[in-house]
Amino acid sequence: MPYLRVLAGPTTSETDLVPLKVNSGVPVKIASDAFEGQIAMFIKGLADAEGGIEDSDYFRKRSGVTWSIQVQGRFLREYSADDLLFGNVFERPFKLPWGFGAALKFMHFIDPTLQHDLASRTKPWALSPLVSTMPYFRHQRSPRGAPTPQFPPKDPLNDDVSQLRTTRDATGSPPSAKLSKASPSKRRSYFANALRRQEVVFGPDDLITTDFCYDFLEFSHEGIALRLPGGISIDVMKYWDGQPVRFVCCERARSSADCPWGRVLWCVVIEPATEGEVPVQEKVRRESPDADVD
């Protein structure tokens, strides 16, 4: 399997990205004038430089998933929940594999709020509102500077939007009962409505923790496979030209903009490790105080 390099930072610019140690539980800190927080990533079955597999306890505690991008932080400006997007943006077009139509149907099934132009001849993209696309989403009212919970959390993240405030709260209306004890599926269904997203504002006193985790990507010594219902399997390595795969949280662009996304607030990049680079798992092993010494 080709080794992967994972980077994270406050923008998509190479100068702002730093290596992220996958499966280590050591997060990358993010700091800008719009967002401050930290990011961790876990990939099941990812090989180290010697071909060994270094998995995390995360996969023993949250079964049924194969990868996870976890983020904890706060937006330092006020944003409507409808104006915060998450997904993928690309620098150049890529070849769409056979069976991609089925993949898109599957993506729309698990996330009806997804919008995309992956066939773009300039910069393909696929984005959804952050609050409705995240499989797990936890919100806490927490003043900036207050102590924050352990990150990554010791146990897999549970949904909690009970402290979420809407614009109706300011007028004396009680919070929606649907939000007080919402499960992930109920929260995602509730915020599939743009008007409901527009009622929620996130700012510096809102601590948000998310877990974007799924099982449709499978990592092995043979490569990376996209597994879809109905027994459909796509060999990702046949179509990946090495272009960085970027997961971003970003602002929704203004209606007059040429592309649907505005400023990037944080970014995770997955790319092949070039010749001579030490893969992320080997870096973790070498830097660990418990590493073997020859």
Side-chain angles (χ1 to χ4, degrees):
M1 173 181 175
Y3 302 123
L4 300 179
R5 190 165 77 126
V6 180
L7 308 168
T11 75
T12 59
S13 172
E14 292 183 4
T15 59
D16 290 332
L17 297 170
V18 298
L20 191 161
K21 301 173 184 178
V22 176
N23 292 342
S24 71
V26 178
V28 165
K29 304 289 185 181
I30 305 294
S32 72
D33 62 349
F35 180 84
E36 65 178 21
Q38 44 193 341
I39 301 175
M41 186 167 188
F42 302 91
I43 300 178
K44 187 175 184 179
L46 194 62
D48 62 20
E50 298 174 351
I53 302 298
E54 295 190 9
D55 275 345
S56 164
D57 283 340
Y58 169 83
F59 296 108
R60 286 181 277 276
K61 295 178 179 180
R62 192 185 292 289
S63 60
V65 302
T66 56
W67 59 290
S68 164
I69 298 175
Q70 300 183 28
V71 181
Q72 182 185 85
R74 62 183 78 237
F75 299 101
L76 303 183
R77 305 174 182 179
E78 289 195 341
Y79 289 99
S80 156
D82 191 49
D83 289 330
L84 291 170
L85 305 178
F86 174 79
N88 301 104
V89 297
F90 298 89
E91 276 299 317
R92 61 180 185 270
F94 52 84
K95 182 180 179 182
L96 297 177
W98 173 89
F100 195 73
L104 283 179
K105 289 181 180 179
F106 174 66
M107 292 162 63
H108 277 291
F109 174 75
I110 61 176
D111 181 8
T113 61
L114 174 70
Q115 294 183 313
H116 67 87
D117 185 4
L118 291 171
S120 170
R121 296 185 179 182
T122 54
K123 294 185 177 183
W125 58 274
L127 296 165
S128 305
L130 178 75
V131 72
S132 60
T133 194
M134 282 293 166
Y136 297 95
F137 186 100
R138 181 179 179 86
H139 165 269
Q140 299 164 265
R141 294 290 295 175
S142 174
R144 190 180 181 190
T148 58
Q150 177 181 341
F151 183 83
K154 181 179 179 181
D155 295 313
L157 186 71
N158 292 319
D159 243 62
D160 188 348
V161 290
S162 60
Q163 298 180 42
L164 207 60
R165 296 190 305 173
T166 69
T167 54
R168 286 179 295 169
D169 300 338
T171 64
S173 300
S176 171
K178 293 183 178 180
L179 289 179
S180 60
K181 296 182 179 180
S183 65
S185 60
K186 290 181 179 179
R187 182 254 310 161
R188 297 178 73 176
S189 176
Y190 181 87
F191 285 115
N193 185 312
L195 294 178
R196 289 172 174 168
R197 295 194 299 268
Q198 292 165 8
E199 292 179 341
V200 173
V201 176
F202 295 120
D205 291 336
D206 298 288
L207 183 68
I208 296 171
T209 309
T210 61
D211 187 357
F212 189 75
C213 56
Y214 282 106
D215 65 349
F216 53 78
L217 285 178
E218 184 175 290
F219 299 82
S220 70
H221 290 292
E222 288 71 37
I224 305 172
L226 176 62
R227 307 289 188 187
L228 301 175
I232 298 175
S233 178
I234 299 174
D235 184 352
V236 174
M237 304 310 297
K238 284 185 178 181
Y239 303 94
W240 191 14
D241 62 359
Q243 176 178 186
V245 177
R246 301 184 303 194
F247 293 85
V248 302
C249 176
C250 60
E251 299 175 355
R252 185 186 294 274
R254 298 181 182 276
S255 57
S256 58
D258 294 332
C259 64
W261 69 91
R263 178 179 178 178
V264 170
L265 303 171
W266 55 258
C267 174
V268 175
V269 175
I270 303 174
E271 62 185 14
T274 58
E275 186 175 355
E277 288 180 327
V278 180
V280 287
Q281 285 71 32
E282 183 64 5
K283 287 182 180 179
V284 174
R285 191 181 69 83
R286 290 183 182 180
E287 294 171 7
S288 169
D290 299 325
D292 295 333
V293 178
D294 295 332

